[in-house]
Amino acid sequence: MAQCVQSVLEFVQDSFVPLVAVLCSEEAERVTRKNNLNFAELLRPFCRLTSDGHIRDPNNQVQVVKNLRICVNNVVTSPSTSSAALSPAQRRLLNEVVLSCQPQESSAANVITAGDYDLQFSATTPWFEAYRENFLHTMPASDHEFLNHYLACLLVVSSTEAVPVEQFLKLSQEQHRIQHSGDYTNPKWFIPNTLKYYVLLHDMSDGDEQRADTVYEDMKQRYGPQGCYLLKINSRTVSAEEDEQIPDPWSQYLHRNHLHNQDMLDDVAPALNSSAVENDVGTAEVDCHQLTEKDGASNSLESHPLQLDSVSSSGSLHTLNAVNTDPKKGARDPESQVGGAGSHGARLTLNDHDHIRQFIQEFTFRGLLPHIEKNIRQLNDQLVSRKGLSRSLFTATKKWFGGGKVPEKSINEPKSTCGLLYPPEAPELQIRKMADLCFLVQHYELAYSYYHTAKKDFLSDQAMLYAAGALEMAAVSAFLQAGAPRPYPAHYMDTAIQTYRDVCKNMVLAERCALLSAEILKSQVKYSEAATLLIKMTSEDSDLRSALLLEQAAHCFINMRNPMLRKFAFHMILAGHRFSKAGQRRHALRCYCQAMQVYKGRGWSLAEDHINFTIGRQSFTLHQPENAVTAFRQILTNDSRQTATQQGAFLREYLYVYKSVMGGNEVGLPQLPLPCIHSSATRVYFGHERRLAEGEKQAATHVSLDQEYDLDLAAMWCRLEEQLVAAVNRGVVPGNFQPTQCCLNSQTNNLHHPLAVVEEPIIVEVTFRNPLKVSLALSNLSLLWRFTPDGEKTEESPGEAITNEKDTLAQGMSQKDDIITTEIIQEFHMGPEETKLARLRLLPHRTGQLNIVGVVYNLSSASSGEMAPSTEGQQTLDGLMVVHGRQDLKIQGLRLNQTKEDKMLVRHGPDRRLDPIITPPMPLMEVFFLQFPTALLCGEIRKAYVEFCNVSGVALCGLRVASTHPDFFTFGSQATTPLSPASAENCSAYKTLATPPGDQPGSVSEMVVSAKDFNQMSNVIEIPIDGGTLQPGESTQLPLWLRGPDQEGVHEINFLFYYESAEKGIKISHRVLRHTVFICASRSLSVQASACRSSVPPHHSLDDKSSGGTLVFIDVENINTSEAGVREFHIVQVSSSSQHWRLHKCINPTKDKDCKLTSRERAKLCFRATRCKPHQAASDAVKKYTFADLNLGNERIISSATPCGDFFFRCCRSSESQRAGATSARISSSNKSQGSVPAVDRTSDLTNMVKKCNELDLNLIIIWKAYVIEDNKQLILEGQLHVALQTIGKEASSLTPKEEAQEMVLFKFKSELPPPVALPSVELSQLIKTNLHYPETYTHLFLQDSLCVVPVTLTLSNCSLAQVDVIIDLRHKSTSPESLEVHSSFTWVGQTQYKLQLKGQEVLCLTLRACFLQAGVYNLNTLRVFAKPVEQDAMCETSQQTASPALIIINNA
């Protein structure tokens, strides 16, 4: 239970106090009325005694009575009533009491932390205490107990009466008549001989004080000094009222009495008999069935037991039962105080207050307590005298003579309700009366013993109502005993409650019992038992009681040692529901709000929806529209699990509440909850959306909102742009470079303000999500923006922000179209749970800073036309339920992670994608492609056209392009000559010349070109447009040659076009345009090439005496699959390009014009290559390349011209860069593993020297034509393949080999010793080239001479530029199986070993002699040649040994 102002002892003691009645004369009432009070009200604030009283028990022991309070009420008579339930008037009173007591908003809430909950709730519940107090003191008096019967009666007469004693007599007779005539069952009196106490009231401002003293003396003689009192009041004059401020202790007691009074009068007044004479009593007969209380239960009772009699001239006043409140509780609602004009107690001074306080003390100590003590003695004597009789005899006597007990005469109630009814003089009732008297004077031990005795008697008689009362008070007495000699018997209370409720059907007494027991259990920290008890007391007969008890049960759960928060919340919801049924809307709203703290954000979505819906409705009916809108917003924005029908109802409620809140007095646009906006997914696009293809023209793809963002692609575009910017800025990227971003999203870098261009649209893509299962209809959807123009002197001060919010409020046409044109989407429908994108456009017309704030729109339910009940129950057409509002786009930037502080804290950088800077006009270029293919054969050459259009009002210049595949295309070089007539005739992309008539196919033609002529060697290519500038509206068309990639498959090729404004000094330095194409490359030809040294000796070479030739073998295979429709390939020309070598002639055995290859056919071509002439190979600053063309057809293609030469240089450059990267990686890795630096230098020199002698550096260009059948037409495709022959003896291919996965290498922690440096034997073996010259056949007459000696010449050629040591060993006998097949019985004669030294490129001839013993075929290639550079230590055998056998035939003559 909640915390209370009173302690449990104070509460229980104040629940049962001695009652004192008051009868006043009319004159005495007039005197007290001067203070706006009647006599009972006048005494009420002073009814608690400030000093202790004393009383002697039957054993003559003094008992101290502490902190006693008495209750003083006017005598109000009423017809007989039952105590089983409250009357409608009493229920209305309790409703009003609870309603008038609300929690103060300024009061500090209690905060409890349990687990991860932090709850704020009101620790005290003053409305419950007020209800409890009023309930206990407005309970009907009952016959089965005497606690709320009157013990004494104050007879009050004014001193201004003519004969006061007569008035006392009249009042005494009136009291006697009321008690003993039998006409009235209410009020009830405790003892037949009620104490009468005579009070003479003297008005100090009006009466004669001396006469009052005289009358008082007479009274003391007549009634005794303990039976009367002179009370002097009204000492304050009227004039003094304005000067002094006297405290008003009455206000806190009277406002609820006024409510009570009004209810009582409303209930009874129609039935009062206004014509009754002085001593007649009017009966207030009210039809109980017509009275229905506020919380919905009809009642069978009429009114309060102390209800007012009819108005009579005797001085009986319109009074009511007291609402006795502890003075230390402060005023709860001063504004509702009533009681006429002026304040209470205006004629009383502080001395008068003391007089009243002293009067109460005198009356209690000298009148009431002695009277109670005397009655306790009398009752005790009666009971003791009866104890002499045996119980059995006593019981038997009672049974024989009836004992005065009569069965219940009412046939309407079942007999089991209360059992028997005892007459007033029954001995069991005397025991109960004795117990009640002891209880009222705090003698709890004696009271407990009597209650315990009475309980046994009542139970034996099956008088259940009496037994329940005795059990209840026995338990209370046991609890209140000082020192707690026995534990609190909670089971007594449980039995009493069960009996009251189930057997006696008396919910009033059961409720009182539960209130007492719960408070006692709470004081013993037994919150679980208290909660169980309170929950059991909830029922359908009273919503108010159930609500209050459920709320207290909730407080029990949260006050446990381990707070049960979910039970607290659940019971708060139940309490709120019952409060709502009882009409207590404020309390219902408070309960729901407190419970919401537990359910919120825990995944209890249905519970949250129910609570928010109830909070919304209650707030709306309590005229708290803002809270209602907030609650309904929560229902709509959460991911609800409700059905579509329920969500539709929620939406209609929200729209109605929102519409009624806003009305027509909108100051600013309010925030709408629907639909949800995924702010971080907002994308912003700057510029026009790309145009689609126009006829044959294919527009550049550029960037569009339909493309998904790819981080790797963005990095690639950034690299290309960096290459372009670096090429413009002499190879350096400026420090302030920012890559161009046309489309901004959550993954782009949004730390800087984006730059937009005036008169170019800004498209904002907003992601809307409808979380509901019902459709939404949005209309007039547009962007909300704020714009700060550049500091121009305009009518507005420079820098003042302009916004379109007022225009959207008006919902008309935008007035700011001259600054920014805002596009409006008229209709935007969203289906159930749909996520939909809206693209909203702005067109800026002025430069400045733009801030896109949010979106503004009208929201309505899509299911228009349905009639839906609104909050107030009236029917409203959904179509009219349209609300106008906005939603802001608030985007949180990426988390910062740069500095240590950023990593320690959670910081987010700015996200400025919605805050563009509008810059002056810039050029805008569009690019179109004509005849651009989508599929090519590998190496195929195709000619296309590209068109550049300037569609802006500003000239553009500096046109460049960068690509991920620079070897895919070329614009041609500046030295390009016009196309020859032959190529135009044959629709060829090549520059061709017809073969002169005298030339044979296979003849060679040469051309020396400089690499400088092909100046587009970098990845960035300048586009050759006339004049270098495109004027506004101008366009130009250029040819573009394409070459199919060498690898098959689909290739993504990206172009980035770069251009600048002809005007300088603009914020945007340049602009770029992206284009992506996908080319499908299919197989064409595979070319394998290899070179070997010619075995012909140098002096036999006819072309060049200085150096020998090299044989070049080319294998060409048609690897094309038939799917492409290629019928056959023709090899039309083989060209070479090199700085040192050239193709000399074709030495093919077949003399075909060209080489035809159908599917999977292979052809072998053989060429001789020779070195270039020395003057041609002169190494100038500019490299010169010799192009040699060997045409196999009727026309010669000039390989050194565009496009053949361009693609050759591009492919060479890309392959060189790949090789350079691999070489540098190898060198860096080998350097790490080497130990001594000098050894490395020496070895690398030797290695380079040896390699150089085997270098060829001959590039081959194989030009082909393919005949394709497509749509029954024959097409001729042409293309070229490149093979780079780098080394003699090493095969090269046009296809790049597939990279093999690198093997895993064990990681070594300890460095090993470097291996000894050794040159590879394969390369060393090629230092010396050997040739044997001898006659193929030799005839000798063996009969004459048995020895045949044949001269053999050995030619040694040094292939390197270094000096070489050579050893020739003739003693070797070959053991290879090839040489064993030939007869080998020959020997070399003469010198069998030679040691020679050859200079660089020296040729030396040695004459050897071979001796044969008989005819036959012999292999002369048995000698061994070892060679090494002079600086090298180890010798190495030449590779000549592995060459073909040198066969000689010896004939016998």
Side-chain angles (χ1 to χ4, degrees):
M1 294 176 69
Q3 299 172 10
C4 297
V5 177
Q6 286 180 305
S7 69
V8 62
L9 293 174
E10 290 175 334
F11 162 67
V12 177
Q13 286 176 355
D14 287 355
S15 301
F16 304 100
V17 293
L19 293 184
V20 178
V22 173
L23 279 175
C24 284
S25 68
E26 193 172 343
E27 187 64 22
E29 190 65 31
R30 185 187 63 79
V31 171
T32 56
R33 274 292 166 202
K34 291 182 179 180
N35 294 292
N36 228 2
L37 300 162
N38 60 36
F39 187 75
E41 292 170 347
L42 181 73
L43 302 184
R44 196 157 294 138
F46 311 102
C47 283
R48 186 175 293 279
L49 301 182
T50 55
S51 56
D52 296 343
H54 297 84
I55 194 169
R56 290 185 178 273
D57 64 6
N59 298 326
N60 217 22
Q61 298 292 322
V62 176
Q63 294 289 332
V64 180
V65 182
K66 296 181 178 180
N67 201 27
L68 182 66
R69 189 172 72 87
I70 63 172
C71 183
V72 180
N73 293 322
N74 287 329
V75 173
V76 181
T77 59
S78 67
S80 175
T81 60
S82 166
S83 64
L86 298 175
S87 68
Q90 288 168 306
R91 290 179 180 266
R92 277 201 298 273
L93 166 69
L94 294 175
N95 249 319
E96 294 292 338
V97 165
V98 174
L99 190 62
S100 64
C101 189
Q102 298 292 337
Q104 296 179 1
E105 294 182 4
S106 60
S107 61
N110 195 24
V111 179
I112 185 170
T113 302
D116 53 352
Y117 291 94
D118 287 318
L119 299 190
Q120 290 189 351
F121 66 99
S122 175
T124 59
T125 49
W127 50 91
F128 171 69
E129 293 176 62
Y131 168 88
R132 187 174 64 180
E133 185 179 334
N134 279 273
F135 170 79
L136 291 172
H137 292 100
T138 55
M139 278 185 65
S142 176
D143 288 330
H144 79 286
E145 61 183 10
F146 302 94
L147 291 166
N148 47 5
H149 293 192
Y150 285 94
L151 277 164
C153 184
L154 297 177
L155 308 176
V156 186
V157 173
S158 172
S159 61
T160 56
E161 297 275 0
V163 186
V165 176
E166 287 185 7
Q167 287 295 329
F168 279 128
L169 184 59
K170 279 186 179 180
L171 292 177
S172 179
Q173 290 171 351
E174 174 77 6
Q175 188 277 331
H176 189 271
R177 185 180 65 82
I178 291 172
Q179 181 176 357
H180 296 290
S181 66
D183 295 336
Y184 305 104
T185 55
N186 285 314
K188 297 187 184 296
W189 304 89
F190 206 112
I191 301 165
N193 184 20
T194 302
L195 170 67
K196 297 184 181 64
Y197 196 82
Y198 302 90
V199 181
L200 184 65
L201 193 63
H202 176 63
D203 188 345
M204 296 290 287
S205 61
D206 194 17
D208 183 354
E209 188 174 359
Q210 189 175 359
R211 180 174 182 272
D213 291 337
T214 307
V215 173
Y216 178 55
E217 288 300 324
D218 181 37
M219 288 170 59
K220 283 199 283 187
Q221 295 296 324
R222 185 182 293 269
Y223 306 120
Q226 287 85 13
C228 57
Y229 194 83
L230 171 61
L231 179 59
K232 300 177 180 179
I233 59 170
N234 295 354
S235 303
R236 195 177 179 198
T237 58
V238 179
S239 60
E241 289 182 22
E242 301 171 358
D243 302 331
E244 293 183 61
Q245 289 295 328
I246 302 295
D248 179 7
W250 292 274
S251 57
Q252 57 186 318
Y253 296 95
L254 300 183
H255 73 284
R256 270 168 279 144
N257 297 342
H258 171 70
L259 297 172
H260 190 178
N261 192 16
Q262 293 301 316
D263 280 334
M264 296 302 136
L265 292 176
D266 291 346
D267 207 23
V268 180
L272 291 181
N273 182 1
S274 57
S275 60
V277 293
E278 181 182 342
N279 289 328
D280 285 349
V281 179
T283 58
E285 296 178 356
V286 183
D287 185 359
C288 61
H289 297 291
Q290 293 175 355
L291 284 171
T292 305
E293 56 174 310
K294 275 192 178 181
D295 54 357
S298 59
N299 206 299
S300 59
L301 299 182
E302 286 125 345
S303 58
H304 189 272
L306 301 183
Q307 188 130 4
L308 180 67
D309 266 350
S310 59
V311 181
S312 64
S313 59
S314 68
S316 297
L317 302 172
H318 291 240
T319 55
L320 43 104
N321 189 22
V323 180
N324 302 290
T325 312
D326 195 333
K328 66 184 178 186
K329 291 185 175 182
R332 283 200 176 87
D333 195 359
E335 293 178 4
S336 60
Q337 299 164 8
V338 286
S343 60
H344 306 295
R347 306 295 293 275
L348 302 177
T349 62
L350 291 177
N351 285 333
D352 292 339
H353 291 190
D354 292 339
H355 292 158
I356 298 171
R357 196 174 286 112
Q358 189 177 356
F359 157 66
I360 293 291
Q361 194 154 336
E362 282 289 316
F363 162 69
T364 307
F365 289 164
R366 302 183 67 180
L368 183 62
L369 288 179
H371 176 69
I372 293 174
E373 182 181 332
K374 182 179 74 174
N375 280 282
I376 286 176
R377 287 180 180 278
Q378 290 176 357
L379 285 169
N380 184 62
D381 293 343
Q382 291 177 19
L383 294 172
V384 168
S385 65
R386 287 181 179 173
K387 278 183 183 176
L389 298 170
S390 69
R391 175 68 183 162
S392 57
L393 179 63
F394 187 46
T395 308
T397 308
K398 282 193 290 182
K399 284 182 179 175
W400 291 334
F401 298 103
K405 292 179 197 170
V406 292
E408 290 187 41
K409 296 179 181 176
S410 169
I411 59 171
N412 295 329
E413 295 180 16
K415 184 169 175 27
S416 62
T417 304
C418 298
L420 299 170
L421 289 176
Y422 291 99
E425 64 276 6
E428 290 86 353
L429 281 190
Q430 301 306 312
I431 298 173
R432 171 65 200 244
K433 188 178 290 185
M434 175 72 174
D436 285 349
L437 276 176
C438 292
F439 186 88
L440 289 175
V441 293
Q442 302 176 8
H443 197 335
Y444 301 119
E445 190 173 354
L446 191 59
Y448 175 79
S449 64
Y450 281 116
Y451 283 131
H452 202 268
T453 304
K455 174 203 66 163
K456 292 179 179 177
D457 290 349
F458 293 142
L459 284 174
S460 66
D461 292 338
Q462 288 296 301
M464 300 311 296
L465 178 65
Y466 296 88
L471 280 167
E472 174 188 4
M473 295 314 297
V476 175
S477 301
F479 171 72
L480 291 175
Q481 286 181 46
R486 56 178 60 84
Y488 167 65
H491 60 286
Y492 279 16
M493 278 292 198
D494 295 340
T495 307
I497 293 172
Q498 187 177 359
T499 306
Y500 282 142
R501 190 182 60 203
D502 300 337
V503 179
C504 305
K505 310 297 182 189
N506 191 322
M507 288 303 295
V508 177
L509 292 170
E511 182 177 353
R512 180 186 73 181
C513 198
L515 291 174
L516 292 169
S517 183
E519 193 65 33
I520 293 169
L521 289 170
K522 182 190 88 171
S523 70
Q524 297 177 341
V525 202
K526 295 180 179 178
Y527 288 109
S528 178
E529 292 85 344
T532 305
L533 177 65
L534 292 167
I535 294 168
K536 281 182 180 177
M537 280 306 297
T538 57
S539 61
E540 290 301 318
D541 65 324
S542 172
D543 288 310
L544 182 63
R545 180 187 71 235
S546 299
L548 288 164
L549 297 185
L550 283 167
E551 183 182 14
Q552 292 306 305
H555 279 275
C556 286
F557 289 122
I558 207 170
N559 283 322
M560 289 181 176
R561 181 177 298 170
N562 296 319
M564 304 175 75
L565 298 179
R566 290 197 291 274
K567 282 204 169 191
F568 162 78
F570 181 69
H571 287 86
M572 271 296 189
I573 295 293
L574 296 178
H577 174 65
R578 300 303 289 269
F579 271 130
S580 180
K581 287 178 70 177
Q584 301 280 347
R585 288 175 177 159
R586 290 187 184 278
H587 287 294
L589 178 60
R590 177 185 48 75
C591 288
Y592 276 99
C593 289
Q594 289 190 2
M596 188 61 178
Q597 299 177 80
V598 174
Y599 288 108
K600 192 172 184 178
R602 302 281 168 176
W604 303 65
S605 59
L606 295 176
E608 278 190 70
D609 289 348
H610 168 74
I611 297 169
N612 276 316
F613 185 70
T614 310
I615 289 174
R617 279 204 155 177
Q618 298 291 0
S619 298
F620 185 77
T621 52
L622 290 170
H623 306 292
Q624 299 174 8
E626 290 79 10
N627 295 343
V629 169
T630 305
F632 280 117
R633 174 195 294 272
Q634 293 293 329
I635 305 177
L636 299 176
T637 52
N638 290 343
D639 290 330
S640 175
R641 298 181 187 173
Q642 302 284 359
T643 61
T645 309
Q646 190 65 48
Q647 288 183 358
F650 286 162
L651 180 59
R652 287 193 295 272
E653 289 274 353
Y654 170 76
L655 293 175
Y656 178 80
V657 170
Y658 185 93
K659 193 85 173 172
S660 58
V661 168
M662 294 307 154
N665 53 355
E666 298 182 20
V667 179
L669 283 170
Q671 297 282 341
L672 292 175
L674 289 173
C676 300
I677 292 181
H678 190 15
S679 291
S680 62
T682 303
R683 299 197 295 166
V684 187
Y685 179 81
F686 299 98
H688 297 277
E689 289 188 282
R690 75 182 186 92
R691 284 201 281 177
L692 299 173
E694 298 179 359
E696 292 182 359
K697 291 183 180 180
Q698 177 188 348
T701 54
H702 195 43
V703 184
S704 77
L705 284 167
D706 299 323
Q707 299 168 357
E708 288 189 13
Y709 182 79
D710 185 280
L711 209 58
D712 298 331
L713 273 180
M716 180 272 299
W717 288 118
C718 182
R719 284 195 301 272
L720 287 180
E721 190 172 354
E722 283 181 359
Q723 292 173 13
L724 287 161
V725 173
V728 173
N729 290 281
R730 301 176 183 175
V732 180
V733 179
N736 60 351
F737 167 73
Q738 292 291 332
T740 304
Q741 298 183 126
C742 297
C743 184
L744 299 179
N745 55 39
S746 57
Q747 294 175 279
T748 54
N749 179 9
N750 305 323
L751 293 174
H752 304 279
H753 290 282
L755 299 176
V757 180
V758 73
E759 301 298 341
E760 290 188 17
I762 300 169
I763 305 172
V764 180
E765 184 184 80
V766 184
T767 305
F768 290 101
R769 182 176 66 87
N770 178 10
L772 304 182
K773 296 172 185 171
V774 293
S775 300
L776 293 178
L778 276 63
S779 56
N780 294 339
L781 176 62
S782 64
L783 288 172
L784 198 61
W785 50 261
R786 185 171 60 252
F787 180 72
T788 308
D790 285 339
E792 309 160 354
K793 301 295 181 185
T794 58
E795 294 176 5
E796 299 137 340
S797 60
E800 183 179 346
I802 304 165
T803 179
N804 66 335
E805 184 171 351
K806 291 182 181 176
D807 299 338
T808 57
L809 272 173
Q811 297 190 38
M813 292 300 291
S814 175
Q815 305 299 313
K816 301 287 191 304
D817 275 353
D818 57 330
I819 299 167
I820 292 177
T821 303
T822 308
E823 182 190 357
I824 298 175
I825 298 177
Q826 297 295 335
E827 298 290 336
F828 189 77
H829 287 277
M830 296 192 70
E833 297 181 331
E834 181 184 8
T835 298
K836 196 172 180 181
L837 305 177
R839 292 180 181 171
L840 302 162
R841 289 171 176 78
L842 297 176
L843 185 64
H845 304 298
R846 289 171 60 180
T847 59
Q849 172 68 56
L850 176 65
N851 301 98
I852 298 167
V853 179
V855 290
V856 57
Y857 55 92
N858 295 331
L859 173 65
S860 63
S861 174
S863 55
S864 57
E866 296 178 10
M867 297 298 285
S870 61
T871 305
E872 293 299 319
Q874 55 196 358
Q875 301 291 323
T876 324
L877 190 65
D878 262 0
L880 303 176
M881 278 298 158
V882 179
V883 297
H884 185 58
R886 65 188 277 185
Q887 279 200 66
D888 289 345
L889 292 170
K890 295 176 181 175
I891 303 176
Q892 188 179 54
L894 295 174
R895 182 177 173 183
L896 299 176
N897 201 25
Q898 302 296 324
T899 63
K900 183 180 179 183
E901 288 76 12
D902 293 341
K903 293 175 182 177
M904 299 292 288
L905 306 171
V906 179
R907 289 182 182 172
H908 293 271
D911 192 305
R912 297 199 169 100
R913 72 181 95 156
L914 294 175
D915 305 328
I917 296 172
I918 312 299
T919 61
M922 279 289 290
L924 184 63
M925 182 179 74
E926 288 187 352
V927 179
F928 297 97
F929 296 89
L930 288 83
Q931 302 173 20
F932 205 91
T934 56
L936 292 171
L937 293 173
C938 290
E940 180 187 348
I941 303 291
R942 190 77 65 91
K943 187 177 180 183
Y945 294 90
V946 60
E947 184 177 333
F948 301 98
C949 306
N950 184 355
V951 295
S952 66
V954 183
L956 66 86
C957 63
L959 192 52
R960 291 173 172 80
V961 66
S963 174
T964 51
H965 295 68
D967 52 349
F968 171 69
F969 69 99
T970 180
F971 285 98
S973 63
Q974 298 291 344
T976 303
T977 54
L979 293 178
S980 57
S983 64
E985 188 179 317
N986 299 328
C987 299
S988 172
Y990 288 114
K991 182 182 177 186
T992 61
L993 290 175
T995 308
D999 282 7
Q1000 292 297 322
S1003 61
V1004 68
S1005 65
E1006 297 179 12
M1007 187 175 289
V1008 179
V1009 297
S1010 168
K1012 193 176 181 182
D1013 295 340
F1014 297 88
N1015 56 359
Q1016 307 287 342
M1017 294 295 289
S1018 69
N1019 285 346
V1020 175
I1021 302 170
E1022 291 187 20
I1023 298 174
I1025 57 174
D1026 293 335
T1029 305
L1030 265 184
Q1031 296 300 327
E1034 195 174 289
S1035 64
T1036 184
Q1037 198 170 355
L1038 293 176
L1040 180 72
W1041 286 272
L1042 310 173
R1043 179 175 177 271
D1046 286 321
Q1047 287 187 329
E1048 67 170 327
V1050 177
H1051 297 262
E1052 180 181 343
I1053 298 171
N1054 300 292
F1055 299 88
L1056 189 65
F1057 295 94
Y1058 169 102
Y1059 58 98
E1060 302 170 354
S1061 173
E1063 302 172 12
K1064 301 302 176 188
I1066 306 178
K1067 283 183 182 176
I1068 302 178
S1069 61
H1070 65 274
R1071 302 188 90 171
V1072 292
L1073 181 68
R1074 300 176 182 177
H1075 180 55
T1076 301
V1077 293
F1078 291 92
I1079 297 292
C1080 180
S1082 51
R1083 296 179 183 182
S1084 56
L1085 299 176
S1086 166
V1087 179
Q1088 309 284 336
S1090 62
C1092 66
R1093 287 205 174 87
S1094 171
S1095 58
V1096 178
H1099 60 272
H1100 286 195
S1101 174
L1102 302 173
D1103 301 296
D1104 196 345
K1105 303 282 188 264
S1106 61
S1107 63
T1110 299
L1111 297 180
V1112 178
F1113 299 98
I1114 301 176
D1115 281 353
V1116 185
E1117 184 184 0
N1118 178 359
I1119 58 171
N1120 178 261
T1121 54
S1122 57
E1123 299 164 7
V1126 180
R1127 203 179 64 204
E1128 62 183 12
F1129 283 92
H1130 288 220
I1131 311 298
V1132 296
Q1133 181 170 311
V1134 178
S1135 299
S1136 71
S1137 172
S1138 174
Q1139 291 176 264
H1140 309 293
W1141 293 82
R1142 64 186 177 83
L1143 285 182
H1144 176 59
K1145 60 182 292 188
C1146 176
I1147 53 174
N1148 259 15
T1150 59
K1151 298 295 182 184
D1152 292 341
K1153 282 190 175 182
D1154 57 6
C1155 187
K1156 296 180 183 177
L1157 294 173
T1158 57
S1159 181
R1160 287 295 173 187
E1161 281 189 347
R1162 181 195 291 258
K1164 194 176 187 77
L1165 303 175
C1166 185
F1167 299 90
R1168 183 188 297 280
T1170 59
R1171 283 188 178 273
C1172 299
K1173 295 174 182 177
H1175 70 274
Q1176 294 175 354
S1179 61
D1180 302 330
V1182 178
K1183 293 181 179 179
K1184 289 187 178 296
Y1185 286 80
T1186 300
F1187 281 81
D1189 299 332
L1190 277 167
N1191 62 310
L1192 305 177
N1194 292 326
E1195 60 182 10
R1196 183 165 68 85
I1197 294 167
I1198 303 173
S1199 61
S1200 59
T1202 297
C1204 185
D1206 296 81
F1207 286 120
F1208 161 70
F1209 279 113
R1210 291 191 179 284
C1211 292
C1212 285
R1213 187 175 176 279
S1214 61
S1215 60
E1216 277 172 16
S1217 61
Q1218 289 172 7
R1219 282 201 304 275
T1223 308
S1224 63
R1226 269 202 314 274
I1227 291 172
S1228 63
S1229 62
S1230 65
N1231 283 346
K1232 288 174 190 171
S1233 63
Q1234 297 298 332
S1236 67
V1237 177
V1240 172
D1241 292 344
R1242 195 177 68 201
T1243 309
S1244 62
D1245 288 345
L1246 289 172
T1247 307
N1248 290 337
M1249 178 195 69
V1250 172
K1251 279 186 179 176
K1252 203 163 186 182
C1253 77
N1254 292 317
E1255 271 186 5
L1256 190 61
D1257 192 20
L1258 178 65
N1259 298 290
L1260 301 175
I1261 305 170
I1262 291 85
I1263 300 174
W1264 50 262
K1265 287 188 179 180
Y1267 293 87
V1268 180
I1269 303 297
E1270 189 175 295
D1271 297 333
N1272 295 323
K1273 292 180 183 177
Q1274 177 170 304
L1275 302 177
I1276 300 176
L1277 307 179
E1278 52 194 352
Q1280 64 190 60
L1281 296 172
H1282 305 125
V1283 181
L1285 277 173
Q1286 300 295 325
T1287 313
I1288 291 175
K1290 196 170 182 181
E1291 193 175 59
S1293 172
S1294 64
L1295 298 176
T1296 54
K1298 292 181 180 177
E1299 294 182 3
E1300 294 180 3
Q1302 204 171 11
E1303 291 184 10
M1304 191 178 295
V1305 181
L1306 289 175
F1307 191 71
K1308 296 176 182 176
F1309 292 94
K1310 188 177 180 182
S1311 62
E1312 296 179 349
L1313 291 173
V1317 178
L1319 287 175
S1321 60
V1322 176
E1323 292 167 347
L1324 270 180
S1325 68
Q1326 296 172 354
L1327 286 173
I1328 300 298
K1329 185 169 79 166
T1330 60
N1331 276 320
L1332 285 172
H1333 296 280
Y1334 55 90
E1336 290 185 8
T1337 60
Y1338 192 84
T1339 305
H1340 179 70
L1341 187 61
F1342 283 98
L1343 294 173
Q1344 291 181 2
D1345 190 354
S1346 60
L1347 294 177
C1348 174
V1349 178
V1350 179
V1352 178
T1353 304
L1354 173 63
T1355 306
L1356 297 174
S1357 303
N1358 184 0
C1359 296
S1360 70
L1361 297 173
Q1363 285 191 357
V1364 178
D1365 290 337
V1366 181
I1367 296 177
I1368 301 164
D1369 187 3
L1370 302 179
R1371 296 171 296 177
H1372 172 62
K1373 295 293 183 186
S1374 177
T1375 56
S1376 63
E1378 293 91 350
S1379 58
L1380 287 175
E1381 293 169 8
V1382 188
H1383 194 268
S1384 59
S1385 58
F1386 89 97
T1387 184
W1388 296 98
V1389 295
Q1391 187 175 342
T1392 56
Q1393 190 172 25
Y1394 297 85
K1395 287 189 179 179
L1396 306 171
Q1397 192 171 69
L1398 294 182
K1399 296 177 182 176
Q1401 295 195 339
E1402 183 183 352
V1403 178
L1404 185 68
C1405 294
L1406 285 178
T1407 303
L1408 308 176
R1409 289 184 297 167
C1411 181
F1412 303 92
L1413 300 176
Q1414 60 185 22
V1417 179
Y1418 298 90
N1419 178 14
L1420 296 179
N1421 196 6
T1422 61
L1423 51 85
R1424 296 182 72 181
V1425 180
F1426 298 90
K1428 75 173 181 65
V1430 175
E1431 298 88 348
Q1432 179 79 6
D1433 298 329
M1435 277 289 195
C1436 185
E1437 189 173 0
T1438 66
S1439 61
Q1440 198 68 31
Q1441 198 63 37
T1442 61
S1444 56
L1447 300 179
I1448 186 170
I1449 303 171
I1450 304 296
N1451 295 323
N1452 192 2

